[in-house]
């Protein structure tokens, strides 16, 4: 079974939960820790023979272009994580289109290759922002990995398909969607795709869920993490 390891290349202060605590105006004044943490992941992946997709935030790519090229040189896929890490449903369609095209062009200039995939900040393509899928199709993306088929206060499309497949956008375009993985545990959908769920839930939940998806449902899973999640020296935010 071929599963997907994915990394959202951003720094700790980009996290949406910190938006009211860490103003965007302070980002450039903060220590950029994403470079070394991403390299730690690259070394780990190399040791284990893992090839991943790195969804790179445009804000990071502008400041550390060599990191993007390094990821690519090691055989990993470069995909887009947008430009500003703003939640999609807090943007107008025009704002989203402008920054999505900008991030795609930036990454393509750095890598010399087409950028085929996209992942929204905090999985913020949800029922009130599905119009973003049309923007992605218009911009030339082939696939998206922004839909999390769960209920959550910040994101989620609980009725969305749990398995990868072709979806039709509101205007009738087609994209391949790689939803974040959920399992059927305790009679409900449980997120087992990584990130905060991997850090906070007991390990057996993730292990059991991913085994169920692979072995019982015969489906691939999509796993994700952030470089800051392996950073023991990350500054603590009140």
């Amino acid at each position: 079974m071929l599963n997907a390891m994915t990394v959202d290349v951003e720094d700790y202060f980009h996290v949406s939960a910190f938006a009211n605590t860490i103003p965007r105006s302070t980002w450039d004044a903060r220590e950029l820790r994403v470079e070394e943490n991403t390299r730690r992941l690259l070394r780990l992946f190399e040791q284990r023979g893992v090839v991943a997709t790195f969804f790179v935030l445009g804000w990071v790519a502008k400041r550390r272009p060599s990191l993007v090229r390094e990821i690519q040189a090691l055989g990993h896929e470069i995909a887009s994580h947008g430009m500003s890490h703003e939640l999609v449903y807090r943007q107008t369609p025009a704002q989203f289109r402008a920054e999505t095209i900008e991030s795609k062009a930036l990454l393509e200039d750095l890598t010399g290759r087409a950028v085929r995939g996209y992942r929204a900040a905090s999985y913020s393509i949800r029922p009130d922002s599905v119009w973003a899928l049309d923007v992605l199709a218009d911009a030339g993306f082939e696939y998206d990995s922004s839909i999390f088929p769960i209920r959550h206060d910040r994101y989620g499309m609980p009725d969305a398909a749990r398995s990868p497949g072709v979806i039709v956008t509101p205007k009738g375009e087609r994209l391949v969607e790689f939803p974040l993985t959920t399992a059927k545990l305790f009679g409900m959908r449980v997120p087992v795709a990584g990130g905060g769920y991997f850090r906070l839930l007991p390990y057996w939940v993730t292990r059991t869920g991913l085994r169920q998806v692979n072995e019982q449902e015969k489906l691939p899973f999509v796993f994700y993490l952030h470089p800051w999640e392996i950073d023991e020296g990350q500054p603590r935010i009140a």
Side-chain angles (χ1 to χ4, degrees), residues 24-77:
R24 289 177 180 273
S25 59
T26 69
W27 284 6
D28 273 313
R30 294 180 180 273
E31 178 189 9
L32 199 59
R33 304 178 64 87
V34 65
E35 192 167 19
E36 180 52 35
N37 289 323
T38 300
R39 289 195 174 112
R40 289 177 64 195
L41 285 175
L42 289 170
R43 291 192 292 270
L44 180 61
F45 290 170
E46 188 172 21
Q47 292 168 9
R48 297 294 181 176
V50 173
V51 177
T53 295
F54 286 72
F55 292 92
V56 182
L57 187 66
W59 190 95
V60 172
K62 271 191 170 183
R63 289 154 180 82
R64 293 296 186 271
S66 61
L67 180 62
V68 179
R69 298 189 182 101
E70 185 176 343
I71 295 169
Q72 181 189 39
L74 289 170
H76 303 285
E77 180 187 12

Side-chain angles (χ1 to χ4, degrees), residues 85-230:
H85 212 266
E86 180 61 272
L87 300 174
V88 174
Y89 50 82
R90 291 183 179 171
Q91 295 179 294
T92 66
Q95 289 170 332
F96 178 75
R97 180 182 298 275
E99 81 149 41
T100 300
I101 291 173
E102 181 185 4
S103 68
K104 189 174 191 289
L106 171 63
L107 295 173
E108 290 177 341
D109 286 346
L110 290 174
T111 63
R113 296 182 186 175
V115 170
R116 301 166 54 237
Y118 177 86
R119 175 173 286 165
S122 298
Y123 306 107
S124 52
I125 294 181
R126 61 184 197 181
D128 60 350
S129 54
V130 290
W131 50 262
L133 296 173
D134 283 313
V135 176
L136 297 180
D138 289 345
F141 287 99
E142 297 177 23
Y143 74 87
D144 174 65
S145 185
S146 303
I147 293 177
F148 215 141
I150 59 169
R151 295 188 185 277
H152 190 280
D153 62 345
R154 187 173 288 113
Y155 55 80
M157 294 181 66
D159 296 326
R162 295 175 52 244
S163 58
V166 175
I167 59 171
V168 179
T169 72
K171 290 184 178 179
E173 300 294 333
R174 290 178 176 267
L175 285 171
V176 177
E177 181 64 38
F178 290 90
L180 282 299
T181 300
T182 60
K184 299 176 182 177
L185 300 175
F186 319 115
M188 66 182 76
R189 288 189 181 186
V190 177
V192 290
Y197 304 105
F198 187 62
R199 287 182 286 113
L200 300 174
L201 294 177
Y203 175 60
W204 69 264
V205 175
T206 299
R207 181 184 60 203
T208 301
L210 295 184
R211 282 181 175 172
Q212 177 197 98
V213 170
N214 273 178
E215 297 174 9
Q216 297 178 28
E217 299 184 72
K218 306 299 182 184
L219 294 173
F221 64 74
V222 178
F223 193 89
Y224 77 98
L225 74 163
H226 307 86
W228 51 263
E229 289 180 297
I230 62 166

Side-chain angles (χ1 to χ4, degrees), residues 3-22:
N3 299 305
M5 173 66 78
T6 67
V7 180
D8 294 353
V9 183
E10 61 190 60
D11 222 322
Y12 74 95
F13 50 83
H14 294 129
V15 177
S16 298
F18 289 157
N20 295 327
T21 306
I22 304 178

